[in-house]
Amino acid sequence: MSMSRSGSGPGSGSDSDPAAPALGSSSSANVMLQALLDARAYRHRVYDLRIIETHISWVLLTGEFAYKIKKPVNLGFVDFSTLTLRRQACLDELRLNRRYAPQLYLAVVPIGGTPEHPLVDDEGVPFEYAVKMRQFPSDQQLDRLLADGHLDMGDIEELAATIAALHAAAPVAPPDLPYGWPARIQADAEDNLRVLSAGSEGRLRAHIADLAAWTRRQDALLSSMMHSRRESGHVREVHGDLHLANLVRLDKVIVAFDCIEFSAALRWNDCISDLAFLTMDLHHRGHGDLAYHLLNRYLEIGGDYPGLSLLRYYEVYRALVRAKVALLRRDASSGPERSAQARQCAAYVRLARRFSRGACRALVLMHGLSGSGKTWLSTQLMSALPAVRVRSDVERKRLHGLAEGAHSGSAVDAGLYDATSSARTYDRLAALVTDIIDAGETAIVDATFLRSTDRLRFRVLAHRLAIPFAIVSCQAPASALRGRLAARASAGRDASEADQRVLEHQCESAEGLAADERSVTVHVMTEGLSDAGEVLARLRRILFGTVDAADAQTP
């Protein structure tokens, strides 16, 4: 499927215009759709004419362009029952989606003539409107790329950067806007649960009752957090429907499309809720590793680690929204499709239940000289353990208002790396670890941890939080350390500024692991290591007493 929208000359016409043919009945709509499958309805060359139908729209695929027409329906949550409303919805869709994909969204165009003989982009009196979009190959949608095995960690990092940038640029909700406040969020969650409960029975209905009770407990626990985030600008006009099928790779760039245009309430959300739709979708498709990689890179770019406390709540909410949609489709279907939608509904409910149970909480310190492979290895571990990682190099730069790739030119033990800055950095890491653990996740701290006092501080923190603690100590030959630092400096993309002088200083000042630390340490020689599987197994054994991923992993 392909989509695009933008706004030039939408034409004129209104519902009250007596010269405009009506498109209200299903029969006239069917007549129009059949006629739009004739190439003579278009002013440009067409091929492989097809229609894709959604709950509220028809999309005409013509080869180079796609035309999205709103159905003349009023479903309560969306009202397209008049031509004026449909035209405005097209204009809204164009305006909103050009923020994400201006290369796809081209215009709102009138459809003139009659339902029996329509002409798209006609200069006469319109009886309908469509969003004109540039068509793209459906196999480039991210859901298809993932299913075909063509979505890798590099794509996920690009996707995280794209979403972080979109969220940073999104308009902040003004104080008088009624959306994004706790009562509204909780009411929407309750509505989903009511619909699901009324349409379910047996074990599924019991699971929904459990989720309703869990949701109400979370409402009480998280209400003040929701309120403070609403006041502090974390509720923004976001995409609202951010799942893999609404993301596409175009010219080697990942682009979001088809955001929610028909409901302001569904657009004005906490940015973490928008992200949760996508992480939920990845979990649903059996790729929790990619979900955690996406989450980690998104947080690393934007720094919104406190928002983690709401992630599980919103993942449950998003899963239940999809369950409700499947339930409604089930009730509108028959035969095999009805059974398929019933299975989808049950699968989303099961996923919501797993989210509600939370993950294992633990604290892992990476340890080793610069260039020893800590960041590379922790990247593997955070996706597979799974965990949320914080990096000292990134947070040190953030504290000084610098981008992670910026170079400060600081000397050894000076500038960003003097005693005061280092103390502030470790204070921030400890605070972020607390946020991560409070959110029910395992935390990985990627820093050198060459001083015993720094390691002791985090071990005491783990004891206070009553969570398991482990160290992953990375080593590599001196030649490998020097080579990696040189390669990193040449690439110029890493947050670390360590060079040969820093490495020499570290070798002279490093304090070895004590006997009680070695008992909870996984020692890793990273040169030649291509797979973190054995490291992961040993780490799980220390933390959880098991090597079974199912015992220590989230959905």
Side-chain angles (χ1 to χ4, degrees), residues 179-512:
Y179 312 119
W181 298 104
R184 181 64 181 256
I185 295 166
Q186 293 159 11
D188 289 344
E190 288 283 351
D191 180 66
N192 282 338
L193 288 159
R194 273 195 301 272
V195 172
L196 284 166
S197 180
S200 305
E201 56 187 26
R203 172 183 276 184
L204 187 62
R205 191 167 192 174
H207 291 339
I208 293 165
D210 291 341
L211 285 165
W214 179 88
T215 298
R216 293 182 191 111
R217 291 194 299 271
Q218 294 301 304
D219 287 343
L221 289 171
L222 299 173
S223 184
S224 61
M225 177 68 164
M226 292 175 178
H227 193 276
S228 66
R229 287 178 66 82
R230 175 63 171 84
E231 289 188 323
S232 60
H234 291 283
V235 171
R236 300 183 173 223
E237 191 178 32
V238 293
H239 188 282
D241 199 20
L242 195 62
H243 53 82
L244 291 170
N246 283 344
L247 293 153
V248 62
R249 183 191 283 157
L250 294 177
D251 300 323
K252 300 182 180 180
V253 176
I254 293 176
V255 173
F257 67 95
D258 205 22
C259 82
I260 295 290
E261 88 283 355
F262 56 81
S263 171
L266 297 178
R267 280 197 313 274
W268 291 94
N269 275 307
D270 194 306
C271 293
I272 287 292
S273 176
D274 208 39
L275 180 71
F277 204 151
L278 191 49
T279 57
M280 181 278 296
D281 195 25
L282 284 165
H283 280 294
H284 173 66
R285 296 171 189 272
H287 289 274
D289 57 337
L290 297 184
Y292 268 88
H293 200 79
L294 175 75
L295 172 64
N296 271 280
R297 187 60 186 139
Y298 175 88
L299 294 174
E300 201 167 79
I301 293 169
D304 187 19
Y305 291 93
L308 272 174
S309 63
L310 294 174
L311 181 68
R312 291 281 165 176
Y313 179 91
Y314 284 125
E315 285 177 328
V316 168
Y317 169 75
R318 294 294 188 176
L320 292 178
V321 168
R322 300 301 278 183
K324 181 178 74 172
V325 170
L327 181 73
L328 296 174
R329 287 176 176 167
R330 181 205 70 181
D331 293 344
S333 305
S334 59
E337 177 63 16
R338 180 179 177 86
S339 298
Q341 292 299 332
R343 289 193 298 272
Q344 274 285 74
C345 177
Y348 279 116
V349 170
R350 288 194 299 271
L351 179 62
R353 290 187 75 222
R354 294 201 296 274
F355 282 134
S356 71
R357 295 189 190 117
C360 295
R361 303 188 316 153
L363 174 57
V364 178
L365 304 187
M366 304 303 295
H367 165 263
L369 300 168
S370 294
S372 61
K374 299 183 301 299
T375 300
W376 173 84
L377 182 55
S378 64
T379 298
Q380 316 306 309
L381 296 175
M382 71 190 190
S383 296
L385 192 58
V388 176
R389 180 186 66 184
V390 288
R391 293 180 60 194
S392 61
D393 291 318
V394 172
E395 298 310 319
R396 188 186 298 269
K397 297 282 180 67
R398 202 187 315 274
L399 285 170
H400 288 82
L402 297 175
E404 65 178 86
H407 197 279
S408 69
S410 301
V412 177
D413 282 345
L416 263 64
Y417 300 89
D418 65 14
T420 299
S421 292
S422 292
R424 287 180 62 208
T425 299
Y426 277 90
D427 285 345
R428 177 167 177 80
L429 294 175
L432 294 179
V433 165
T434 302
D435 287 337
I436 294 166
I437 299 302
D438 285 348
E441 302 285 352
T442 288
I444 296 176
V445 186
D446 179 6
T448 59
F449 280 108
L450 298 176
R451 297 197 318 160
S452 59
T453 52
D454 293 329
R455 298 192 298 268
L456 178 61
R457 174 181 183 176
F458 282 81
R459 192 167 188 180
V460 169
L461 176 60
H463 179 75
R464 179 171 63 80
L465 296 172
I467 57 173
F469 173 84
I471 298 171
V472 177
S473 183
C474 298
Q475 296 99 36
S479 59
L481 297 175
R482 291 192 295 268
R484 289 170 182 173
L485 292 184
R488 196 160 63 190
S490 177
R493 294 190 300 267
D494 197 82
S496 173
E497 295 184 25
D499 56 17
Q500 305 298 331
R501 293 170 303 152
V502 170
L503 180 59
E504 291 171 6
H505 176 74
Q506 290 177 349
C507 290
E508 294 170 358
S509 60
E511 300 173 6

Side-chain angles (χ1 to χ4, degrees), residues 56-242:
I56 57 176
S57 302
W58 297 294
V59 181
L60 277 297
L61 303 181
T62 71
E64 184 179 357
F65 302 107
Y67 296 90
K68 188 173 182 181
I69 302 171
K70 310 296 182 185
K71 289 183 177 179
V73 296
N74 184 349
L75 303 176
F77 67 93
V78 58
D79 185 359
F80 295 155
S81 57
T82 69
L83 182 60
T84 297
L85 291 172
R86 294 195 296 279
R87 176 177 180 271
Q88 186 58 53
C90 287
L91 293 170
D92 289 342
E93 181 166 4
L94 177 68
R95 172 181 61 84
L96 292 164
N97 279 286
R98 283 187 64 81
R99 298 181 303 170
Y100 303 110
Q103 68 272 56
L104 289 182
Y105 289 81
L106 304 179
V108 172
V109 296
I111 300 177
T114 66
E116 294 80 7
H117 301 286
L119 184 59
V120 176
D121 205 3
D122 184 37
E123 296 177 354
V125 177
F127 70 89
E128 194 53 76
Y129 291 91
V131 179
K132 182 179 182 180
M133 304 147 69
R134 193 169 302 284
Q135 191 167 321
F136 57 78
S138 61
D139 61 5
Q140 293 303 297
Q141 289 177 193
L142 264 57
D143 59 327
R144 295 282 296 276
L145 291 174
L146 181 65
D148 293 340
H150 298 316
L151 197 67
D152 59 24
M153 290 297 187
D155 296 316
I156 292 297
E157 291 194 4
E158 180 192 342
L159 176 56
T162 296
I163 296 168
L166 292 173
H167 286 172
V172 175
D176 59 342
L177 197 73
Y179 312 119
W181 298 104
R184 181 64 181 256
I185 295 166
Q186 293 159 11
D188 289 344
E190 288 283 351
D191 180 66
N192 282 338
L193 288 159
R194 273 195 301 272
V195 172
L196 284 166
S197 180
S200 305
E201 56 187 26
R203 172 183 276 184
L204 187 62
R205 191 167 192 174
H207 291 339
I208 293 165
D210 291 341
L211 285 165
W214 179 88
T215 298
R216 293 182 191 111
R217 291 194 299 271
Q218 294 301 304
D219 287 343
L221 289 171
L222 299 173
S223 184
S224 61
M225 177 68 164
M226 292 175 178
H227 193 276
S228 66
R229 287 178 66 82
R230 175 63 171 84
E231 289 188 323
S232 60
H234 291 283
V235 171
R236 300 183 173 223
E237 191 178 32
V238 293
H239 188 282
D241 199 20
L242 195 62

